[in-house]
Amino acid sequence: MARESAELRGRAKVRPFRVGQLVDLADSAAVRAAIVNLSQVWGGYYTPILDVNQPFDAIEFQARVFDLDSLYLEHDEDDEGSGSSSELFDELLRSGWLWRSLGKYGPFTGEAEDGFRTGVLPTSAVAIEQPPLYIPTWSDTDPMADFYAALFGALQAGEDAWAPTGSQMVGIGALLSRPGLTVDDVGVIQASRVGLSPEPHYDVAWMNGVFVVRPNDPRDLVAFWNMRSFGRPVVPVPAEGGEELLPLLTRGSVPGATSVHGGSERRTERYLGVWQLPNASPATRAAIEAMAGRLGMVVREHRLLEPRHYRFPGIDSRFKSSVRAEFPPTAAHAMVRVPSVPVTAEAHQVMPGTVAVEVDVNTVVGLDPRSVACLPPLRRFGRLQERVAFSHTHDVRVNADGEGVVLGVSARNDEVPVAFVFQLDAIATLLDDDSVKVAQSEDGRFQTRAAQMLGGPAGDLLTQPGIRALIEKAGRSATGLPLQQLRAEILNNRGAWPDKLTAFRTSPAEYADNLVNHLLYSGLFVPMLDVHCSQCRVDMQISPRDLDATIQCEFCGETFRLALSLALSKSHWRFRLAGHLGSEKVKALLPALATSSVLNHLSVRFSAAGPHAFGVEFKFPGRGRMEADIVTWLPYPNFTAAVAEVKNGNWIDGNDVQNLEDLQKRFDRAKVRSVLVFSSLKAALAPEERDVLRALVERATWTSTAIGAQLPRLPLVLTSSDLSVPSNDDNHPVRWEAPGNAGVFATAIESCKRNLGLVDIAPAPEGSATQFVCTWSD
């Protein structure tokens, strides 16, 4: 039965819209201007500054590490000498990272005469009471001026300083003479943290300590600024000079870290980590040692790591709530009520500034299966969402984990749209190629609807061998099966079911009864009544909607009394598959849904499902149409596209392998991780099938997992036993992965060992034609 309404549930949070500035880190004036920009906006404390003089790929990677909402690059279209800048500008625009300036207004200076502000929300517009601060002043000629700016924040030259009510403007000298003062009480940059705190995350627990900064080196200033933007306690100290400032800077406290020393006398040691310790002058080093001694720690050097070693933990905000929205199942979006940030009476009544609304979509029930709410965390998917939401927002993107959406909206907004896009559009966007045409086959459309009847693509029904046996048998029967035979078929073919979590309270007979009832409720089976014509003695079947006191025989045309027929014959109800489903359709359905269920279990889901489609047809320029039986997105910890070929009894051949390999190359060009899946409901693969799949394994290449590990990229090979056990069974593929979060690629290696006879795979010697050497069991 079609649903009249659908429902979305999740969590919404309003936080600063974080725009990373791209500047020349060798240019002190440009760095200072970037610091001034961030010092005056809400959340500036948590926003990094990026180096414009690096390739786009490196910039994009850093933007992902810091989970930025947008990037800003000052660009003069009339400047003919800005060649590399223009190329970067175009790349940022094409990829969706570029801040969309409205006219002459950028993210930090966009305020019209009437107060209408298109840029990010300034701290001065946030109406939250906060404790007063000390706002230091200094001379621009002071050799420590840039260090002060990075430490305390800075205001535009000539501007009246804004600060929380009761704050005091003080000179640096007067500031240093105040006992008990710490850096958390000083500077306009501290005001930008109002209502905010960093999300706790184990990945950044170690990121605290002291950062030795060369005061006149803009790269050092930015390195400190960016390290502090993770929200962890990072104390800057000047590498040399500013000795009078050291007592203030080292007066506070940091949590430090603990190291464990092994050996026969195992002991732990608390230490104070210091970045760039070799640059410290004797006076600075002595101040660091004194701070460590006061905290009961030893000093240890921290290394500045590559960006891939860091992960922005996210910003927590006091403006958050659970959300719920109802909408028509075929709607293009749902309007969601969200909390809003209190703004001052002086701020513009319509557009006081832009904030980010982050909506995590936990569940979506009743949405048309052709549409999807959660998308892969790739920037280009924002373009799909904008087709629906752009009129309501400044910017739209998928959040970092692919669990929802981030929208740039006016701070006055209390309602935002969550867009639903078509599954096939999402899959086409993964390939990032406008010349590729994506469609769905007739079988794919049938399997999509059948999956909805059976609990969705992630449901476990078709991994239960008893249900598969019943559906396959019913597909071969023209007249249907009696109720007792339905139960017996499930009971006799149940395999490892019921699973070990329910077996203690559910007997096998109860398990079979429950599943039969579930199938009957789903609408997959329809009842038919056996009746007997009292005129011509022909047996026939009628559906419930044709039942009446008198029945017309479809053979002789005479009418007969239903009551008499029931009295004279042994009439009983039979159940057949709805729509007179043919055996071939049923055979194709069973492995597709079982494989889809297993793939779903290989990821940890905190949100609604991502893109998924059965029977996806691809048409590439210059070659014929090719089809993948399943294309789906595997979220955390994989962040990988899975492309599957599934079989019931047919063989996997070289053409199947070649088609999926060609598709994988397309995903590689689009910079999307992918894994090939070959699935069969046979108990074991035939020798010919193993040969073509072993050849694929021997052509394997390296891949990088979501956590940066390097592994051989092997196919995921599944057989009937892998598709027929509960997810809590030790033999389920989700249990194969060794510790380490290598995800589906580690599972794929184990599948090749179990189903192809792989014994070992090792890197090939330098100069070899292949990247790996494989050892097989035979």
Side-chain angles (χ1 to χ4, degrees), residues 51 125 160 176 248 253-254 340 453 482 504 544 584 603 641 645 680 757:
D51 186 3
D160 292 333
L176 302 180
L248 169 66
S253 177
V254 296
S340 56
M453 299 172 69
F504 72 94
E584 291 306 313
S603 295
E645 177 72 23
S680 174

Side-chain angles (χ1 to χ4, degrees), residues 14-15 17 116-121 338-341 343 348-357 392-395 407-416:
V14 183
R15 58 165 178 78
F17 192 89
F116 188 95
R117 183 182 178 92
T118 62
V120 296
L121 185 70
V338 297
S340 56
V341 179
V343 296
H348 196 275
Q349 293 303 304
V350 176
M351 190 64 188
T354 298
V355 296
V357 177
H392 301 268
T393 63
H394 178 274
D395 188 276
L407 305 103
V409 300
S410 166
R412 298 280 188 188
N413 280 32
D414 60 2
E415 193 175 50
V416 298

Side-chain angles (χ1 to χ4, degrees), residues 376-392:
L378 302 174
R379 196 73 195 195
R380 54 183 176 266
F381 280 93
R383 295 195 293 266
L384 283 181
Q385 295 169 317
E386 283 173 359
R387 296 177 188 175
V388 175
F390 186 68
S391 61
H392 301 268

Side-chain angles (χ1 to χ4, degrees), residues 14-83:
V14 183
R15 58 165 178 78
F17 192 89
R18 297 168 60 244
V19 182
Q21 297 171 91
L22 292 164
V23 301
D24 183 355
L25 298 191
D27 185 341
S28 294
V31 170
R32 191 180 310 115
I35 289 173
V36 168
N37 287 338
L38 293 176
S39 298
Q40 62 184 340
V41 298
W42 190 42
Y45 184 96
Y46 300 103
T47 306
I49 301 168
L50 305 185
D51 186 3
V52 71
N53 296 313
Q54 53 184 335
F56 170 75
D57 286 350
I59 291 173
E60 183 176 43
F61 185 83
Q62 285 184 303
R64 291 186 185 283
V65 166
F66 286 103
D67 192 22
L68 292 173
D69 298 306
S70 188
L71 293 172
Y72 178 62
L73 173 66
E74 287 193 3
H75 177 65
D76 185 354
E77 295 181 358
D78 298 325
D79 185 0
E80 297 180 357
S82 59

Side-chain angles (χ1 to χ4, degrees), residues 165-220:
T165 303
S167 297
Q168 301 179 43
M169 302 283 289
V170 296
I172 287 291
L175 183 73
L176 302 180
S177 64
R178 297 178 185 270
L181 200 64
T182 68
V183 292
D184 289 340
D185 306 314
V186 183
V188 69
I189 192 63
Q190 299 296 334
S192 74
R193 303 167 61 186
V194 61
L196 307 171
S197 61
E199 294 273 10
H201 200 286
Y202 66 89
D203 277 352
V204 295
W206 65 274
M207 291 176 63
N208 70 88
V210 176
F211 200 112
V212 178
V213 181
R214 289 168 289 193
N216 296 315
D217 186 336
R219 291 186 180 277
D220 266 21

Side-chain angles (χ1 to χ4, degrees), residues 598 717-725 731-733 736 754-755:
V598 170
V717 182
L718 304 172
T719 59
S720 178
S721 61
D722 309 324
L723 301 173
S724 303
V725 291
N731 290 314
H732 191 281
W736 296 351
R754 291 174 178 241
N755 296 319

